[in-house]
Amino acid sequence: MRPRGGAATMAAVLGCAAVTAGCQGGGGAPPAPAADRPPGSDVNPMPRDRVRDGGTLRWPLPEFPTQWNFHHVNGSRGVVEQVVQGVLPYLMRSDAKAVPHPVPAYLRSARVVSTKPQQVVVYRLNPKARWSDGRPIGPADFVAQARALSGRDPRFQISNATGYERIRKIGRGAGPHEVKVVFARPYADWRSLFSPLYPASTCADPAVFNGGWSDRVPVSAGPFRVARIDRTAKSVTLERDPGWWGRPAKLDRIVFRTMDTAAMPGAFANGEIDLMDIGVDASALRRAEHVPGAVVRRAGAPDWRHFTLNAAGPFLRDVRVRRAIMLAVDRRVIVRSDLADLGWPERTLGNHFFVNTQQGYRDNSGDLGRYDPERARRLLDQAGWAPRGEYRVKDGRTLALRFVIPATVPGGKQEAELARALLERVGVRVDIRPVPTDDLFDRYVTPGDFDIVPFSWLGTSFPLSPLRSVFARPRGARIQQNYARAGTARIDAAMDRAIGEIDQAKARRLVNEADRLIWELAIVLPLYQRPQIVATRGGLANLGAGGFHETAYEDIGFTGPR
């Protein structure tokens, strides 16, 4: 299953959501995909008449969210989207080639009807589409969400304003079920907007937007509805919604259960869960390959692993120090360690927007993408950090960085230890700080209580729009998703030029221009494109390793008895 959406989603763990491409059965690792092949999809696609009615899908989560508003700064996570994709409207859904298409249950059509003097998009809604409180889905929902996410009212604690800040006005179209969106400035990725769509009743008031979805999902409009959120058991149960007007869900229910990633291989082997995101865990892969009836599915993910550097911290404010850190980290060592024994190309990533297998990818890392400890030492010297004994000092302080990792993710600890060994070679001390996985973002990353943190950005069919808020200049206390807390006017302008370019070839060139500027700022160090390696029960249909493919939850099910 592919997490996606208008805001960039994040994963604290090395493996996060289930997705797929090139599949093999249990017993032997599947061959590695060609490094230059576009991402595929391996979800065991089955027509609905071959999927059994009924049954429960048991789906593990690596962390338990408390904020279910995906557009809130603390809700923009892959685990949140895994759940809400089954209960909220997603107007567009991408195929395996990253082409978005209208979802018929919500949209009859969506098209640009004018580009001059302004870009105008008309959405023709399915007249049957309704919220669970009985209200029809309509223009008021579009208006409220656009206002909340525009960034104009700082009381709304949003994760991303990209696209919404370009909307001039929204009104009714010519027909009774049409919504007309007029943009003040061109926006090429207009298809990324309003997915997920939240009801006007929870978007109009900042207090409700920020707190109305905490520990609850008050309104829904999907093939499933939330039956229970159990904070004690850290589980969420979805049940088939009898009020759903689309194709009925094949499953009776989906039970999302939070567990440590280290416990997932045992739970899968014991039949307690029906799928498992292997991520880059070679031992979990080997164990899954020997589970009777299990299938290992693979895809090239649009997701990427990285280190974020906190440029607002006392040691990393100086760009020379940040560049030194990047030069001192041998990314090849970390890539080889993370991807060992997975049958996957061990390639570093040289771009903040495109992954290696994606059209438009260009390695823009330049000198900062190369391991160069000698140059790192010179930069630290220039920044005034003099060698003294084992570590570097300045004004009586030791250059010591807090490397914060989620405690239950073994891969994160391994990355931290490798980074510590590499950085100590140039005189930088690294203190590894494991923290509760559920608290990583809320209590450490978002407040800025770290110097270096590893996690994965989960990509979408739109390479720039979801990530603009990650690299845009923070506005006062509002960082949105720029956890590095640094940016420049030149980067903002370059991203805005790319976002406003309708010609895709020109847009890709402009995206790469923005990427080169981000490398110069030295705030996020890309490591590699994440493989999607997912173990599933052999009879699980229409779910697995999707790449860019986005699954229709109503079609998920089992092909045989359980």
Side-chain angles (χ1 to χ4, degrees), residues 159-465:
S159 61
N160 191 358
T162 303
Y164 293 100
E165 92 284 7
R166 291 178 175 240
I167 293 176
R168 180 179 179 184
K169 64 180 179 179
I170 298 176
R172 295 185 179 275
H177 302 289
E178 290 186 354
V179 179
K180 183 169 70 173
V181 178
V182 180
F183 290 84
R185 291 176 291 160
Y187 184 54
D189 286 346
W190 61 269
R191 294 176 183 82
S192 68
L193 302 177
F194 306 109
S195 291
L197 181 67
Y198 280 74
S201 59
T202 67
C203 283
D205 183 276
V208 178
F209 179 91
N210 297 332
W213 293 79
S214 294
D215 296 320
R216 61 195 294 261
V217 177
V219 186
S220 62
F224 292 90
R225 63 187 180 188
V226 174
R228 186 183 186 194
I229 297 177
D230 189 333
R231 285 194 53 78
T232 302
K234 292 189 174 183
S235 67
V236 180
T237 300
L238 306 186
E239 62 184 9
R240 185 190 292 122
D241 190 343
W244 169 245
W245 58 91
R247 301 189 307 262
K250 284 292 183 177
L251 292 166
D252 290 325
R253 64 188 61 84
I254 301 174
V255 177
F256 294 95
R257 172 187 166 196
T258 307
M259 63 174 61
D260 289 348
T261 54
M264 290 183 189
F268 184 75
N270 295 333
E272 300 171 26
I273 54 178
D274 296 307
L275 72 162
M276 173 184 61
D277 185 356
I278 290 169
V280 294
D281 189 337
S283 62
L285 173 61
R286 289 191 296 271
R287 189 165 185 181
E289 288 169 348
H290 291 91
V291 174
V295 179
V296 174
R297 306 190 181 279
R298 294 172 177 255
D303 315 331
W304 50 286
R305 190 73 175 168
H306 75 279
F307 291 167
T308 282
L309 279 59
N310 184 359
F315 297 111
L316 296 178
R317 287 194 179 97
D318 190 326
V319 67
R320 293 171 296 184
V321 177
R322 298 197 301 271
R323 289 172 179 168
I325 298 303
M326 289 190 173
L327 290 164
V329 173
D330 191 341
R331 297 186 298 154
R332 297 167 302 175
V333 170
I334 295 173
V335 171
R336 283 196 297 267
S337 174
D338 280 1
L339 302 183
D341 301 321
L342 294 174
W344 198 266
E346 296 174 357
R347 298 177 60 192
T348 56
L349 179 66
N351 201 294
H352 296 87
F353 299 105
F354 297 106
V355 292
N356 301 81
T357 56
Q358 192 172 3
Q359 187 176 13
Y361 175 80
R362 186 179 302 162
D363 188 338
N364 296 313
S365 60
D367 292 341
L368 286 177
R370 303 183 183 96
Y371 175 55
D372 192 343
E374 287 303 319
R375 185 180 170 210
R377 292 186 186 97
R378 290 196 299 270
L379 284 171
L380 292 173
D381 289 341
Q382 293 168 16
W385 291 97
R388 185 175 301 170
E390 189 176 357
Y391 299 112
R392 290 178 175 265
V393 297
K394 178 182 180 181
D395 301 329
R397 297 181 301 162
T398 300
L399 180 51
L401 304 180
R402 300 160 296 169
F403 199 115
V404 175
I405 60 171
T408 59
V409 183
K413 185 174 186 295
Q414 182 173 296
E415 289 174 339
E417 290 175 342
L418 288 171
R420 177 167 61 186
L422 290 163
L423 289 170
E424 285 186 342
R425 294 179 183 177
V426 298
V428 177
R429 195 180 89 195
V430 174
D431 297 325
I432 300 174
R433 298 191 179 182
V435 302
T437 300
D438 289 348
D439 294 340
L440 178 67
F441 289 101
D442 292 351
R443 296 190 179 183
Y444 295 90
V445 178
T446 301
D449 188 12
F450 72 95
D451 290 304
I452 305 176
V453 63
F455 61 93
S456 297
W457 285 115
L458 306 185
T460 75
S461 303
F462 310 96
L464 176 55
S465 293

Side-chain angles (χ1 to χ4, degrees), residues 58-82:
R58 300 160 302 174
W59 194 332
L61 297 179
E63 59 177 314
F64 187 72
T66 58
Q67 172 60 265
W68 295 100
N69 183 349
F70 178 75
H71 299 302
H72 188 275
V73 67
N74 290 329
S76 185
R77 305 183 185 184
V79 289
V80 172
E81 196 157 32
Q82 279 178 262

